Amino acid sequence: MFQKNLKLQNAFILLASYVFYGWWDWRFLGLIITSSAVDYWCGLRLGYVIAQAPSSRADEGSVAISIDERENKTETASSFLLIVTRNPKFYLTLSILFNLGLLGFFKYFNFFIESATDFINLIGFQAHASTLNLILPVGISFYTFQTMSYTIDVYRGKMEATKDPVAFFAFVAFFPQLVAGPIERASNLLPQFFKRREFEYQQGSDGMKLILWGLFKKMVIADNCALVVNPIFENYQTASGLELMMGAILFAFQIYGDFSGYSDIAIGVAKLFGFELMTNFRTPYFSRDIAEFWRRWHISLSTWFRDYVYIPLGGSRVPKAKAIRNIFIVFFVSGFWHGANWTFIAWGGIHAALFIPIFLIGKNRAHLHEGEHMVPSFKEIFQMGSTFLLVCIAWVFFRADTVGEAWGYLKGIVFHPLISGVRLSSYLLSIVLISILICLEWIMKGEQVFNFRKPIIRYSSYSAIIVLILFYGVFFNPQDFIYFQF
């Protein structure tokens, strides 16, 4: 009876996920279904091949397959195919190439064509780009990485291949976090589809609190900041230095409220269904250096690159020169993952340049086990302020349409008149709302939201947040989630 109920639950989640994704554009359901099918099959084959060669470890190289001595060791097409298809690396490579090929075609095809054309024209030859009018499937950057984690972990022997297609397909398409994360590991989320899930009041209560907090960050903080940020970036040539500074700062809170707000909503909705997703943000703007920032910002992506790119390259257990190379590769790929634009690569390069000095002096693991004091010291305030400033500078490249516009924006902060035509009142509301966000997050320390002991304070907080959400939802134009474009 338990297994029957579990299968029905998983089937319902799969159906709901496909309806959710197909509501955007049903034609792209074929992509996520195909991606799921390929990795499900690769996982089955990996499990079978590894089981057939218990004396060989998948991460130590290929499985040795002997050829019939009676054929005098003459290689034939069939024997070669037999060797290849009994090699776990074949199925791992097939999975990675398929998923990266899918992602590369839809997300980067036009970028590579246009970049190659620009380079050819730059060296004196004439070339004309021929691009496709491709629509980027929403969430493709997230679910391709999520499903790749499955085949990689099966190959590494960290988990067994699943034989339940409904559970696996539901894991890939799990609708709360499908289109903007967190990017869940198969080793964490997939086993939860095989466990008894019953509604629990405390889990449901925690989920509703996270949903409420996520809606506040998105609708009240991020969408309000967008109303100020968008005009500034669109008219940066004529904006004053102070306006440009405010634009960069407010965009930092816009993207944080937008992305972390979605993550909170996704984690909260998952709790209502009995699932536990990983934390994706831990108050990143309280970081005291760039290394700490990346332990707090988009944790699911940064740890994915750490475990599946950085460590396999050798991580930090290699000579310094190679370790620096590995850091640059990770930040380069991280920037490129966000979009087919040189601005994202520049953004990743800036963070690499800021991270490497900390790594070289051995401080990249500083503050690892430290918690914030209720009243920060002057040193901590300075560290957090300077780190936030550097992050804001990098965000300008992330937000700008081109690298040239980003440089023009930053130069405008320095060389444009400081306060020409600035109306401070236009920023007052955003500053007040951001101050509320900062105070609440400092008090909560990024842990349980609304965890106030006194009921009057707790319910007053609920009421105030709900009123603000309803007010902004009615009187302001809602903005799309920024990370839907990735």
Short mmCIF file of all heavy atoms in Angstrom, two decimals, residues 325-347:
data_model
loop_
_atom_site.label_atom_id
_atom_site.label_comp_id
_atom_site.label_asym_id
_atom_site.label_seq_id
_atom_site.Cartn_x
_atom_site.Cartn_y
_atom_site.Cartn_z
N ARG A 325 44.98 28.46 -12.30
CA ARG A 325 44.31 28.10 -13.56
C ARG A 325 42.93 27.52 -13.28
O ARG A 325 41.94 27.87 -13.93
CB ARG A 325 45.16 27.08 -14.31
CG ARG A 325 44.53 26.56 -15.59
CD ARG A 325 45.03 25.15 -15.91
NE ARG A 325 44.66 24.17 -14.89
CZ ARG A 325 45.05 22.91 -14.89
NH1 ARG A 325 45.85 22.48 -15.85
NH2 ARG A 325 44.67 22.07 -13.93
N ASN A 326 42.84 26.64 -12.30
CA ASN A 326 41.56 26.01 -11.96
C ASN A 326 40.54 27.03 -11.49
O ASN A 326 39.36 26.95 -11.84
CB ASN A 326 41.77 24.95 -10.88
CG ASN A 326 42.64 23.80 -11.34
OD1 ASN A 326 42.82 23.59 -12.54
ND2 ASN A 326 43.18 23.05 -10.40
N ILE A 327 41.00 28.00 -10.70
CA ILE A 327 40.10 29.05 -10.22
C ILE A 327 39.56 29.87 -11.39
O ILE A 327 38.36 30.15 -11.48
CB ILE A 327 40.82 29.96 -9.21
CG1 ILE A 327 41.11 29.19 -7.93
CG2 ILE A 327 40.00 31.21 -8.91
CD1 ILE A 327 42.03 29.91 -6.95
N PHE A 328 40.46 30.24 -12.31
CA PHE A 328 40.02 31.01 -13.48
C PHE A 328 39.02 30.21 -14.32
O PHE A 328 38.03 30.77 -14.81
CB PHE A 328 41.22 31.41 -14.34
CG PHE A 328 41.71 32.80 -14.06
CD1 PHE A 328 42.94 33.02 -13.46
CD2 PHE A 328 40.93 33.90 -14.38
CE1 PHE A 328 43.39 34.31 -13.19
CE2 PHE A 328 41.37 35.19 -14.12
CZ PHE A 328 42.60 35.40 -13.53
N ILE A 329 39.28 28.93 -14.49
CA ILE A 329 38.37 28.10 -15.28
C ILE A 329 36.98 28.08 -14.65
O ILE A 329 35.96 28.25 -15.33
CB ILE A 329 38.92 26.67 -15.43
CG1 ILE A 329 40.14 26.66 -16.35
CG2 ILE A 329 37.84 25.72 -15.96
CD1 ILE A 329 40.84 25.32 -16.43
N VAL A 330 36.93 27.89 -13.33
CA VAL A 330 35.64 27.81 -12.64
C VAL A 330 34.87 29.12 -12.76
O VAL A 330 33.68 29.14 -13.07
CB VAL A 330 35.84 27.42 -11.16
CG1 VAL A 330 34.55 27.65 -10.38
CG2 VAL A 330 36.27 25.97 -11.05
N PHE A 331 35.54 30.24 -12.54
CA PHE A 331 34.85 31.53 -12.62
C PHE A 331 34.49 31.88 -14.07
O PHE A 331 33.45 32.50 -14.32
CB PHE A 331 35.70 32.63 -11.99
CG PHE A 331 35.59 32.69 -10.49
CD1 PHE A 331 36.61 32.22 -9.69
CD2 PHE A 331 34.45 33.21 -9.89
CE1 PHE A 331 36.50 32.26 -8.31
CE2 PHE A 331 34.32 33.27 -8.52
CZ PHE A 331 35.36 32.79 -7.72
N PHE A 332 35.35 31.50 -14.99
CA PHE A 332 35.03 31.72 -16.41
C PHE A 332 33.78 30.94 -16.80
O PHE A 332 32.85 31.48 -17.41
CB PHE A 332 36.22 31.30 -17.28
CG PHE A 332 35.92 31.28 -18.75
CD1 PHE A 332 35.99 32.44 -19.50
CD2 PHE A 332 35.57 30.09 -19.39
CE1 PHE A 332 35.72 32.42 -20.87
CE2 PHE A 332 35.29 30.07 -20.75
CZ PHE A 332 35.36 31.24 -21.49
N VAL A 333 33.75 29.66 -16.44
CA VAL A 333 32.60 28.82 -16.77
C VAL A 333 31.35 29.30 -16.04
O VAL A 333 30.25 29.32 -16.59
CB VAL A 333 32.90 27.34 -16.43
CG1 VAL A 333 31.66 26.48 -16.66
CG2 VAL A 333 34.05 26.82 -17.28
N SER A 334 31.53 29.73 -14.79
CA SER A 334 30.40 30.25 -14.02
C SER A 334 29.81 31.48 -14.69
O SER A 334 28.58 31.62 -14.80
CB SER A 334 30.84 30.59 -12.60
OG SER A 334 29.78 31.16 -11.87
N GLY A 335 30.67 32.38 -15.15
CA GLY A 335 30.18 33.56 -15.84
C GLY A 335 29.49 33.20 -17.14
O GLY A 335 28.40 33.69 -17.44
N PHE A 336 30.11 32.29 -17.91
CA PHE A 336 29.55 31.90 -19.21
C PHE A 336 28.24 31.14 -19.03
O PHE A 336 27.36 31.20 -19.89
CB PHE A 336 30.57 31.06 -19.96
CG PHE A 336 30.33 31.00 -21.44
CD1 PHE A 336 29.99 32.14 -22.16
CD2 PHE A 336 30.47 29.81 -22.13
CE1 PHE A 336 29.77 32.09 -23.53
CE2 PHE A 336 30.26 29.75 -23.50
CZ PHE A 336 29.91 30.89 -24.20
N TRP A 337 28.10 30.41 -17.92
CA TRP A 337 26.85 29.68 -17.65
C TRP A 337 25.68 30.65 -17.58
O TRP A 337 24.56 30.30 -17.98
CB TRP A 337 26.99 28.92 -16.33
CG TRP A 337 25.74 28.22 -15.89
CD1 TRP A 337 25.36 26.95 -16.19
CD2 TRP A 337 24.70 28.74 -15.05
NE1 TRP A 337 24.15 26.65 -15.61
CE2 TRP A 337 23.72 27.74 -14.89
CE3 TRP A 337 24.50 29.96 -14.41
CZ2 TRP A 337 22.57 27.91 -14.13
CZ3 TRP A 337 23.35 30.15 -13.64
CH2 TRP A 337 22.41 29.13 -13.52
N HIS A 338 25.92 31.87 -17.10
CA HIS A 338 24.83 32.82 -16.91
C HIS A 338 24.29 33.38 -18.22
O HIS A 338 23.15 33.85 -18.26
CB HIS A 338 25.29 33.98 -16.01
CG HIS A 338 25.32 33.61 -14.55
ND1 HIS A 338 26.38 32.98 -13.97
CD2 HIS A 338 24.39 33.77 -13.57
CE1 HIS A 338 26.13 32.79 -12.69
NE2 HIS A 338 24.93 33.23 -12.43
N GLY A 339 25.06 33.37 -19.26
CA GLY A 339 24.53 33.91 -20.50
C GLY A 339 25.57 34.01 -21.60
O GLY A 339 26.78 34.02 -21.35
N ALA A 340 25.07 34.08 -22.84
CA ALA A 340 25.94 34.17 -24.01
C ALA A 340 26.28 35.63 -24.30
O ALA A 340 25.79 36.23 -25.26
CB ALA A 340 25.26 33.52 -25.22
N ASN A 341 27.11 36.20 -23.44
CA ASN A 341 27.49 37.59 -23.58
C ASN A 341 28.84 37.80 -22.90
O ASN A 341 29.10 37.22 -21.84
CB ASN A 341 26.43 38.51 -22.96
CG ASN A 341 26.59 39.95 -23.40
OD1 ASN A 341 27.69 40.49 -23.50
ND2 ASN A 341 25.47 40.61 -23.67
N TRP A 342 29.69 38.62 -23.51
CA TRP A 342 31.00 38.87 -22.92
C TRP A 342 30.90 39.56 -21.57
O TRP A 342 31.84 39.53 -20.78
CB TRP A 342 31.85 39.71 -23.87
CG TRP A 342 32.28 38.95 -25.09
CD1 TRP A 342 31.79 39.04 -26.34
CD2 TRP A 342 33.31 37.95 -25.14
NE1 TRP A 342 32.43 38.17 -27.19
CE2 TRP A 342 33.38 37.48 -26.48
CE3 TRP A 342 34.18 37.41 -24.19
CZ2 TRP A 342 34.27 36.50 -26.88
CZ3 TRP A 342 35.08 36.42 -24.58
CH2 TRP A 342 35.13 35.99 -25.92
N THR A 343 29.76 40.20 -21.29
CA THR A 343 29.60 40.85 -19.99
C THR A 343 29.63 39.83 -18.85
O THR A 343 30.19 40.10 -17.79
CB THR A 343 28.27 41.62 -19.94
OG1 THR A 343 27.19 40.72 -20.26
CG2 THR A 343 28.26 42.77 -20.93
N PHE A 344 29.05 38.66 -19.07
CA PHE A 344 29.04 37.63 -18.03
C PHE A 344 30.43 37.03 -17.84
O PHE A 344 30.83 36.70 -16.72
CB PHE A 344 28.03 36.54 -18.38
CG PHE A 344 26.62 37.03 -18.46
CD1 PHE A 344 25.91 36.97 -19.64
CD2 PHE A 344 25.99 37.59 -17.35
CE1 PHE A 344 24.61 37.43 -19.73
CE2 PHE A 344 24.69 38.05 -17.42
CZ PHE A 344 24.00 37.98 -18.61
N ILE A 345 31.16 36.91 -18.95
CA ILE A 345 32.54 36.42 -18.84
C ILE A 345 33.39 37.43 -18.08
O ILE A 345 34.22 37.06 -17.24
CB ILE A 345 33.11 36.14 -20.24
CG1 ILE A 345 32.31 35.02 -20.91
CG2 ILE A 345 34.59 35.79 -20.17
CD1 ILE A 345 32.70 34.75 -22.36
N ALA A 346 33.19 38.72 -18.36
CA ALA A 346 33.91 39.77 -17.64
C ALA A 346 33.55 39.73 -16.16
O ALA A 346 34.42 39.88 -15.29
CB ALA A 346 33.58 41.14 -18.23
N TRP A 347 32.27 39.54 -15.87
CA TRP A 347 31.82 39.43 -14.47
C TRP A 347 32.53 38.27 -13.76
O TRP A 347 33.02 38.43 -12.64
CB TRP A 347 30.31 39.24 -14.46
CG TRP A 347 29.72 38.93 -13.12
CD1 TRP A 347 29.49 39.82 -12.10
CD2 TRP A 347 29.26 37.67 -12.65
NE1 TRP A 347 28.91 39.17 -11.03
CE2 TRP A 347 28.76 37.85 -11.35
CE3 TRP A 347 29.22 36.39 -13.22
CZ2 TRP A 347 28.24 36.80 -10.59
CZ3 TRP A 347 28.70 35.34 -12.47
CH2 TRP A 347 28.22 35.56 -11.18
#
